[in-house]
Amino acid sequence: QLLHQHTSSMEQGERAALIAVYSPAGGTGKTVISWKLGKQLADGGKKVLYLSLEDVPAADAFVKNGGQSGMDMVFPFARKAQEDIGSKMDGCMQEVFPNLYYLAPFSDLEDGMEVSEEEWGDFLVKLSAVGNVQYIILDMESGLSPRNRMLLLLADYIVLVEKPDPCTQAKMKRFLGQRALLEDYSYKMVRVQNFDIGNDTLWSDCGIAVAGRFPFFSAMGRADMLRFIERFPQLDTGFLI
């Protein structure tokens, strides 16, 4: 029912599109890719919200004064069915770059981990319907928890981030081998090859288009990451129809 409600409002142009940035493996650079995609869409004139759904968010590496109230203020409002969260959102979103906004995660990590997948789904449907932004980028936790599976179903687009190390490749092979599972996701999914070393991965025949290849980087400081976010190469955003 939640998915039907969300899809119907998207088709009528009444809400923001949800872009899930996901990987079955940790350490692939999802957060950097999330910010890079958000910055690129914002530079193109779109109003974008970045939302970290990681158990332990890393977004403070990009955001000055990132500890200001965000989810602590907005989520309790959203839990009340009759509350309009639009005005609360306006007061809690922090503009990091022009047109690119940030909603700080729960200050107490336990608060975020205690939210059920149904509550997350209901919150994101309400958030996308507010009309404050055109895209909401979901920086997701790795793995296939019930919450993640619900978020992948709810998302309008999925950016699958991979890198060429053996552990990530083993997890990608396992993930992409779950054909029944991918039937729900692959039609709205693109791949990003991060930490690219010039070799294509094993998944060139998986049927999921590559939206970007980014060079290997290591030991990046905050200034280096910001330069990476702001400069070329960019993602091919043709999948955002």
Side-chain angles (χ1 to χ4, degrees):
Q1 183 179 358
L2 187 69
L3 183 61
H4 175 72
Q5 171 190 347
H6 186 66
T7 303
S8 297
S9 60
M10 176 66 177
E11 290 172 350
Q12 296 168 20
E14 297 174 349
R15 66 166 181 83
L18 300 177
I19 305 175
V21 181
Y22 171 77
S23 177
T28 58
K30 290 185 282 76
T31 297
V32 177
I33 295 300
S34 296
W35 280 102
K36 185 171 183 63
L37 176 58
K39 179 67 164 56
Q40 184 176 331
L41 292 172
D43 287 345
K46 305 298 183 182
K47 201 171 181 181
V48 184
L49 173 66
Y50 166 91
L51 188 63
S52 176
L53 297 182
E54 295 182 296
D55 290 340
V56 183
D60 286 354
F62 303 90
V63 183
K64 294 181 179 179
N65 303 318
Q68 70 178 38
S69 297
M71 292 293 290
D72 293 336
M73 297 291 291
V74 174
F75 200 86
F77 258 64
R79 271 185 164 147
K80 301 174 183 178
Q82 301 304 315
E83 293 284 2
D84 176 10
I85 64 172
S87 58
K88 185 64 68 175
M89 281 291 298
D90 286 335
C92 292
M93 293 194 309
Q94 178 180 349
E95 192 170 17
V96 181
F97 299 101
N99 288 330
L100 177 54
Y101 296 84
Y102 170 71
L103 187 66
F106 291 104
S107 54
D108 187 336
L109 299 181
E110 289 288 343
D111 290 342
M113 289 187 282
E114 289 174 0
V115 177
S116 70
E117 56 265 29
E118 291 83 5
E119 287 181 305
W120 274 118
D122 182 64
F123 172 71
L124 290 172
V125 168
K126 290 180 178 179
L127 192 65
S128 68
V130 167
N132 301 54
V133 297
Q134 293 162 286
Y135 291 101
I136 300 174
I137 295 182
L138 309 176
D139 184 2
M140 292 179 56
E141 185 73 21
S142 58
L144 275 175
S145 65
R147 184 185 75 176
N148 273 3
R149 293 187 65 167
M150 179 277 298
L151 292 171
L152 291 172
L153 280 172
L154 196 61
D156 301 292
Y157 310 100
I158 301 170
V159 177
L160 181 65
V161 184
E162 58 183 285
K163 69 175 186 178
D165 70 286
C167 289
T168 298
Q169 290 297 298
K171 290 189 176 186
M172 284 290 295
K173 180 178 181 180
R174 178 77 66 171
F175 177 74
L176 293 173
Q178 308 304 304
R179 295 300 179 187
L181 187 67
L182 285 183
E183 284 181 3
D184 294 326
Y185 312 140
S186 60
Y187 73 94
K188 57 184 178 181
M189 185 180 286
V190 295
R191 295 157 52 219
V192 167
Q193 296 178 353
N194 210 9
F195 301 85
D196 186 39
I197 54 176
N199 297 325
D200 199 2
T201 66
L202 301 175
W203 322 123
S204 56
D205 61 347
C206 70
I208 301 173
V210 175
R213 291 183 172 88
F214 299 101
F216 177 82
F217 58 91
S218 63
M220 292 179 71
R222 183 175 185 275
D224 299 314
M225 289 189 289
L226 291 175
R227 280 193 292 270
F228 173 79
I229 288 169
E230 293 186 7
R231 295 180 180 178
F232 290 95
Q234 294 190 322
L235 285 85
D236 178 358
T237 56
F239 65 96
L240 299 174
I241 56 175

